[in-house]
Amino acid sequence: MQNKEDYRAIEARYYMPAFARDLMIVRGEGSRVWDADGKEYIDCVAGIAVCSTGHCHPAVTRAICEQAKRLIHCSNLYYVPGQAELAQKLVEKTGMAKAFFSNSGAEATDGALKLARVRTGRKKFVAFTHGFHGRTIGSLAVTHKPAIREPFEPLGISKTFVEYGDIDGLRKVVDSDTAGVVVEPIQGEAGVIIPPDSFLHGIREICDESGALMIMDEVQTGMGRTGKWLAIQHAGVKPDIVMLAKGIASGFPMGALLAREGLEFRRGEHGSTFAGGPLACAAALATFGVIDEILPTVSEKGERFCNALSKYAPRARGLMVGMTVGDRCAEVQKRCAENGVLVNCAADGNLRLVPPLVITNAEIDRACSVLKDALG
Ligand SMILES: *Cc1c(COP(=O)(O)O)cnc(C)c1O
């Protein structure tokens, strides 16, 4: 293994500097990772809510290795092993009607925008302030943060941003040419911002009245992260389209689009070389099995974080926990890392904890004690 300083120099010379980073993680097991110097961390980042089954869960690793020996790729020109079974499982757990796979969250968003346009025949979208939906041209168009979007405008998609939570504002801008309203049930990149259920019910109502589609971005909140398969299930609202990605295959790149009855791509309308390939489906099917088992424990574990951190007014649903820390966020993140706990600063000084769903009570207690120390 190269030492980090040598590695840093090679990267500086040959890799585009789009990321600010410091640690070099070389190994993981369960909720723990090790850096290049052998230092151990409790991982409350989990690849940003990706490694829900923990790092290298034996069932997931086994499924990937066994599939890699049988068939790595075959193309969507043919039936793909695992693809239909995975679609069936996702549909059954979410109450949606059909699935379609992609390679990432951004691509799932792009697929949702395409599906909404082609089935409604309408052009425009509405999204929300502080919302994040991805970095491709299409998904970036409905992502709010001006600093990451504006340098790339025009993005060719007509959209309006409404204050997250503002139902009256939404009612004013949705009209008969609105194809869809794109929304996160809990805003993740914004720092775990949890709206009242009435906001989600209100969007459903406005979409029903106007014929716009309710497009629910569950890329971060889905796959058990909040204690249910979808976060929107807490509110009892049925969206028209759902996007999934991060937690779906334990770190193997994959995304998914789920849609209600009557909404589907017809032959030739959408496609992808890699999406829903045999390896991704094998990883996702194994992930699905693990999550199905641990899902009942997720809410309790979230509460354990909240109880330990109650002094700092945490916001949480399941194992998606946020706290407003302010200007000190980066410093707190650094101190936690020094003391063996990985946490992440999302937007606006909001600390975000999205550990593996398999994290143990002992690991939660240890992480919280380090956090409290860093927060003071
Ligand atoms: C991460 C994220 C995306 C983008 O997913 P990528 O796989 O990075 O393209 C989209 N929406 C939400 C809510 C996300 O958290």
Side-chain angles (χ1 to χ4, degrees):
M1 181 55 58
Q2 264 156 329
N3 82 48
K4 191 174 81 180
E5 293 319 311
D6 293 347
Y7 196 88
R8 196 201 301 276
I10 297 169
E11 195 209 65
R13 175 102 171 73
Y14 294 106
Y15 201 71
M16 298 188 191
F19 299 102
R21 45 197 178 194
D22 180 34
L23 296 180
M24 184 171 182
I25 308 292
V26 297
R27 188 165 71 84
E29 189 184 323
S31 299
R32 284 170 302 156
V33 292
W34 288 265
D35 71 13
D37 301 323
K39 182 178 159 87
E40 179 182 311
Y41 303 83
I42 295 174
D43 185 5
C44 293
V45 178
I48 314 188
V50 166
C51 310
S52 291
T53 60
H55 294 276
C56 306
H57 190 289
V60 175
T61 298
R62 194 183 319 117
I64 292 172
C65 291
E66 284 175 5
Q67 186 59 47
K69 289 183 216 163
R70 264 195 310 273
L71 183 69
I72 292 176
H73 179 74
C74 62
S75 163
N76 281 308
L77 292 171
Y78 310 103
Y79 289 111
V80 179
Q83 201 178 75
E85 290 106 298
L86 180 62
Q88 180 183 5
K89 285 187 193 304
L90 292 172
V91 159
E92 283 172 358
K93 293 295 184 185
T94 60
M96 304 300 285
K98 282 195 177 162
F100 197 80
F101 297 116
S102 65
N103 301 290
S104 68
E107 247 188 79
T109 302
D110 282 357
L113 301 181
K114 283 180 69 177
L115 184 59
R117 275 198 169 167
V118 76
R119 289 290 82 84
T120 64
R122 300 174 178 197
K123 299 281 177 260
K124 302 188 301 185
F125 291 92
V126 179
F128 294 93
T129 54
H130 307 289
F132 183 86
H133 304 290
R135 302 269 200 161
T136 57
I137 295 278
S139 61
L140 188 58
V142 290
T143 287
H144 176 249
K145 195 176 183 183
I148 65 169
R149 174 176 43 81
E150 282 177 352
F152 304 98
E153 292 278 7
L155 294 165
I157 286 183
S158 161
K159 76 280 182 175
T160 308
F161 293 105
V162 171
E163 190 71 34
Y164 192 63
D166 180 6
I167 276 297
D168 294 331
L170 181 65
R171 192 168 278 116
K172 285 196 194 104
V173 302
V174 172
D175 64 27
S176 60
D177 196 31
T178 305
V181 177
V182 186
V183 61
E184 293 164 86
I186 296 171
Q187 288 189 325
E189 297 310 292
V192 190
I193 310 302
I194 308 177
D197 284 355
S198 60
F199 174 55
L200 302 166
H201 284 277
I203 297 173
R204 181 67 273 173
E205 208 177 281
I206 290 168
C207 286
D208 286 341
E209 288 163 10
S210 64
L213 301 181
M214 184 175 189
I215 302 171
M216 193 55 62
D217 185 345
E218 295 249 14
V219 166
Q220 190 160 155
T221 52
M223 295 303 294
R225 172 57 51 191
T226 69
K228 291 190 186 284
W229 285 98
L230 301 178
I232 191 71
Q233 290 171 325
H234 291 282
V237 173
K238 284 199 77 174
D240 298 298
I241 300 175
V242 172
M243 293 91 88
L244 297 170
K246 290 191 164 85
I248 199 170
S250 297
F252 199 94
M254 186 178 219
L257 196 61
L258 305 171
R260 66 152 161 79
E261 202 63 57
L263 272 182
E264 57 188 33
F265 284 120
R266 297 177 192 155
R267 193 142 304 166
E269 283 181 340
H270 197 38
S272 162
T273 298
F274 295 116
L279 270 181
C281 289
L285 282 167
T287 298
F288 192 98
V290 175
I291 294 177
D292 208 18
E293 256 173 50
I294 57 179
L295 195 58
T297 69
V298 171
S299 292
E300 242 168 73
K301 289 176 184 175
E303 278 161 31
R304 197 174 181 94
F305 269 104
C306 286
N307 290 337
L309 300 168
S310 60
K311 188 175 151 194
Y312 309 99
R315 307 176 289 275
R317 190 150 279 166
L319 281 170
M320 192 165 176
V321 183
M323 281 178 294
T324 301
V325 170
D327 294 343
R328 292 173 51 232
C329 206
E331 179 199 319
V332 170
Q333 177 182 313
K334 187 158 175 276
R335 281 203 54 186
C336 285
E338 278 164 14
N339 292 315
V341 175
L342 299 183
V343 299
N344 162 251
C345 290
D348 305 323
N350 287 315
L351 202 67
R352 169 176 49 183
L353 309 173
V354 281
L357 305 182
V358 297
I359 193 168
T360 64
N361 284 340
E363 286 163 338
I364 293 172
D365 296 347
R366 166 103 188 95
C368 287
S369 130
V370 165
L371 251 168
K372 284 197 279 195
D373 217 45
L375 286 159

